[in-house]
């Protein structure tokens, strides 16, 4: 199939799934997309096992879609930029301390806790998973996925305070998680182990370099926006910033996700308020909201279809259950440690640990990182358990997140 035929097929299926979910099932849009795609995949696999259908043409189509490349080097730039546009500086300032610690110390703690538990469980399940690769799994599964979270938070009826707290953390720890993943992967695959200085310089270049580049590109775009009042040109400039900035960051070897978050924050605040008219702001918000909804629909549908191209065994299913428990425990410990530290300096609302733990969803970014691993037996273990954790996170945590709010916040108080 040609690239256009693949895109046309994916968009058509996404539209059909979206309609059926909105008309009949009424799940949150992103969860509904994935559930329908997963149901379609499972049905076809079942029919093929019975000898009713020949699945090879559909399987060949799915193998043509490079999920990792599509997300990590395409959709992610627009999704992160759109998510950052909705965060206000004034609101972010109230949670910046806790968000910064959760996105750094929290991710590192969760990576080591989750990775160590999965390494031990893999040995019990009879699977060979070296410790460094277990940590690699911890790095790709510990950061919460802003794409999954923001899509669900928008439909949960949350207060702005809660939206900013959870959404901001996911935006920043996503970038940190990608940096941690790249760093551990480099350590695991290099012939000569890097020194502490090498790792420190890599982390510094990725994080600070990505943030500084994003702020610089955002400021340049803001200066271009100021003298004009034509929403078509202004929207095109933000599109160029999201696409071109991401490519430039990757070319320079800095964190492209953090670059997009920084650029989106600057445009969403400085650019929207001081460089655009009210009409342009409205059109810009509508455009990026549409882009966000469209790409989320496609992404979550592709997650559901990925089950077809991933090989599962009974050992993977057992280890996947352990990995789900390890992921939740790693999140509880990391969030609990950070919240306990924050309580020494400021009051923290009741239910914060439980809320951040259950609301910390994993999504397509974890699967994309697992798919980007080099071929080998380690990838054959990490990929299926990553998919099982993501399925649990989106279907179970995602569907129960709103009811959980009523339990954790019985009086509707924003945390």
């Amino acid at each position: 199939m040609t690239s256009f035929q693949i895109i046309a097929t994916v968009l058509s299926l996404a539209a059909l799934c979206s309609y059926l979910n909105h008309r009949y099932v009424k799940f949150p849009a992103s969860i509904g997309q994935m559930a329908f795609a997963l149901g379609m995949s499972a049905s076809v696999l079942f029919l093929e096992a019975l000898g009713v259908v020949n699945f090879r043409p559909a399987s060949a189509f799915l193998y043509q879609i490079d999920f990792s490349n599509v997300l990590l080097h395409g959709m992610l730039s627009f999704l992160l930029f759109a998510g950052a546009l909705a965060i206000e500086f004034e609101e972010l300032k109230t949670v910046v301390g806790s968000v910064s610690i959760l996105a750094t110390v929290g991710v590192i703690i969760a990576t080591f806790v989750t990775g160590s538990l999965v390494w031990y469980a893999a040995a019990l399940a009879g699977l060979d998973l070296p410790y460094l690769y277990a940590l690699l799994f911890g790095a790709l599964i510990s950061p919460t996925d802003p794409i999954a979270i923001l899509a669900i938070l928008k439909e949960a009826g949350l207060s702005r305070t809660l939206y900013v707290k959870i959404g901001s953390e996911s935006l920043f720890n996503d970038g940190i998680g990608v940096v941690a993943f790249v760093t551990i992967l480099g350590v695991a695959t290099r012939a000569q182990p890097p020194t502490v200085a090498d790792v420190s310089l890599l982390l510094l270049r990725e994080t600070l370099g990505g943030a500084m580049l994003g702020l610089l590109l955002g400021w340049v775009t803001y200066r271009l926006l100021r003298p004009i009042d034509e929403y078509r040109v202004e929207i095109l400039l933000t599109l160029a910033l999201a696409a071109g900035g991401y490519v430039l960051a990757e070319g320079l070897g800095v964190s492209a996700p953090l670059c997009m978050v920084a650029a989106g924050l600057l445009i969403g605040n400085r650019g929207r308020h001081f460089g655009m008219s009210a009409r342009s702001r409205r059109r810009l918000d509508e455009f990026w909201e549409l882009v966000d909804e469209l790409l989320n629909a496609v992404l979550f549908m592709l997650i559901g279809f990925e089950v077809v191209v991933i090989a599962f065994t009974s050992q993977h299913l057992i280890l996947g259950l352990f990995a789900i428990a390890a992921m939740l425990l790693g999140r509880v410990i990391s969030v609990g440690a950070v919240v306990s530290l924050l309580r020494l300096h400021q009051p923290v609302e009741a239910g914060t640990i439980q809320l951040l733990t259950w609301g910390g969803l994993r999504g397509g970014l974890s699967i994309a990182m697992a798919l980007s691993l080099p071929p080998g037996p380690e990838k054959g273990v990490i990929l299926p358990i990553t998919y099982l954790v993501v399925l649990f996170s989106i279907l179970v945590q995602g569907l129960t997140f709103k009811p959980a709010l009523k339990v954790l916040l019985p009086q509707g108080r924003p945390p």
Side-chain angles (χ1 to χ4, degrees):
M1 296 180 71
T2 65
S3 298
F4 180 75
Q5 288 172 329
I6 292 175
I7 293 172
T9 303
V10 170
L11 286 175
S12 299
L13 289 173
L16 176 61
C17 292
S18 181
Y19 173 80
L20 293 174
N21 178 64
H22 181 78
R23 183 74 173 83
Y24 300 107
V25 182
K26 303 189 184 302
F27 279 171
S30 53
I31 298 177
Q33 291 283 353
M34 194 189 78
F36 271 105
L38 187 63
M40 291 169 61
S41 299
S43 299
V44 172
L45 288 173
F46 178 72
L47 292 174
E48 185 188 39
L50 295 178
V52 177
V53 297
N54 178 12
F55 182 66
R56 268 179 281 180
S59 179
F61 164 73
L62 292 173
Y63 274 106
Q64 290 183 66
I65 302 175
D66 188 343
F67 182 88
S68 178
N69 190 53
V70 167
L71 178 56
L72 290 177
H73 306 292
M75 296 169 66
L76 187 59
S77 60
F78 301 108
L79 288 165
L80 290 178
F81 185 82
L85 276 177
I87 304 295
E88 295 282 349
F89 274 146
E90 292 301 317
E91 297 171 323
L92 181 60
K93 283 194 298 186
T94 63
V95 297
V96 67
S98 58
V99 164
S100 299
I101 299 174
L102 282 168
T104 52
V105 177
V107 168
I108 293 171
I109 293 174
T111 294
F112 277 91
V113 171
T114 304
S116 299
L117 290 173
V118 167
W119 174 71
Y120 181 73
L124 292 178
L127 292 168
D128 183 21
L129 186 64
Y131 185 66
L132 271 178
Y133 279 89
L135 287 183
L136 200 59
F137 170 77
L140 67 87
I141 208 66
S142 292
T144 55
D145 191 331
I147 302 167
I149 291 174
L150 294 176
I152 292 171
L153 291 183
K154 289 177 182 178
E155 303 180 27
L158 302 180
S159 67
R160 281 295 302 176
T161 303
L162 181 54
Y163 179 90
V164 170
K165 180 177 288 187
I166 299 179
S168 299
E169 188 227 343
S170 66
L171 282 169
F172 284 101
N173 74 17
D174 163 66
I176 298 298
V178 172
V179 172
F181 173 82
V182 171
T183 302
I184 297 175
L185 180 61
V187 174
T189 55
R190 282 178 61 169
Q192 295 294 328
T195 64
V196 174
D198 292 334
V199 174
S200 300
L201 285 174
L202 175 63
L203 288 171
L204 192 65
R205 185 188 70 193
E206 286 270 352
T207 54
L208 288 183
M212 295 302 294
L213 179 63
L215 291 174
L216 174 62
L217 294 176
W219 182 82
V220 170
T221 305
Y222 158 67
R223 298 296 300 180
L224 294 174
L225 292 171
R226 283 194 65 181
I228 63 173
D229 184 19
E230 173 51 62
Y231 72 87
R232 297 175 184 86
V233 177
E234 291 169 300
I235 289 174
L236 190 58
L237 284 172
T238 61
L239 266 176
L241 172 60
Y246 198 90
V247 171
L248 179 60
E250 290 186 318
L252 294 176
V254 300
S255 174
L258 285 177
C259 176
M260 285 301 96
V261 172
L265 285 171
L266 195 144
I267 294 298
N269 290 268
R270 193 75 182 175
R272 286 179 70 257
H273 295 299
F274 302 103
M276 297 180 180
S277 64
R279 183 184 71 156
S280 292
R281 282 196 298 271
R282 186 175 66 254
R283 295 296 180 97
L284 180 79
D285 292 342
E286 291 171 348
F287 172 81
W288 279 105
E289 182 178 356
L290 178 60
V291 169
D292 189 45
E293 294 290 338
L294 174 61
L295 292 182
N296 267 299
V298 172
L299 172 61
F300 280 86
M301 189 196 65
L302 289 177
I303 293 175
F305 284 143
E306 278 298 301
V307 69
V308 173
V309 298
I310 299 175
F312 292 92
T313 67
S314 58
Q315 289 175 302
H316 294 146
L317 295 176
I318 294 171
L319 184 57
L321 294 176
F322 277 106
I324 290 170
M327 176 269 293
L328 292 174
L329 185 59
R331 179 70 172 169
V332 168
I333 292 173
S334 62
V335 171
V338 171
V339 170
S340 298
L341 179 64
L342 293 174
R343 280 200 175 108
L344 298 176
H345 305 282
Q346 63 187 61
V348 178
E349 300 80 356
T352 297
I353 295 175
Q354 298 92 320
L355 189 65
L356 288 174
T357 298
W358 202 247
L361 306 185
R362 277 66 174 177
L365 185 59
S366 294
I367 297 175
M369 286 192 284
L371 284 166
S372 71
L373 291 171
E378 297 86 3
K379 181 176 181 178
V381 175
I382 291 175
L383 181 55
I385 65 173
T386 299
Y387 191 81
L388 291 171
V389 172
V390 169
L391 283 186
F392 171 86
S393 185
I394 295 177
L395 292 178
V396 178
Q397 291 178 255
L399 286 175
T400 59
F401 180 68
K402 191 171 182 179
L405 289 176
K406 298 177 182 179
V407 176
L408 297 173
L409 305 171
Q411 296 163 355
R413 293 179 294 104

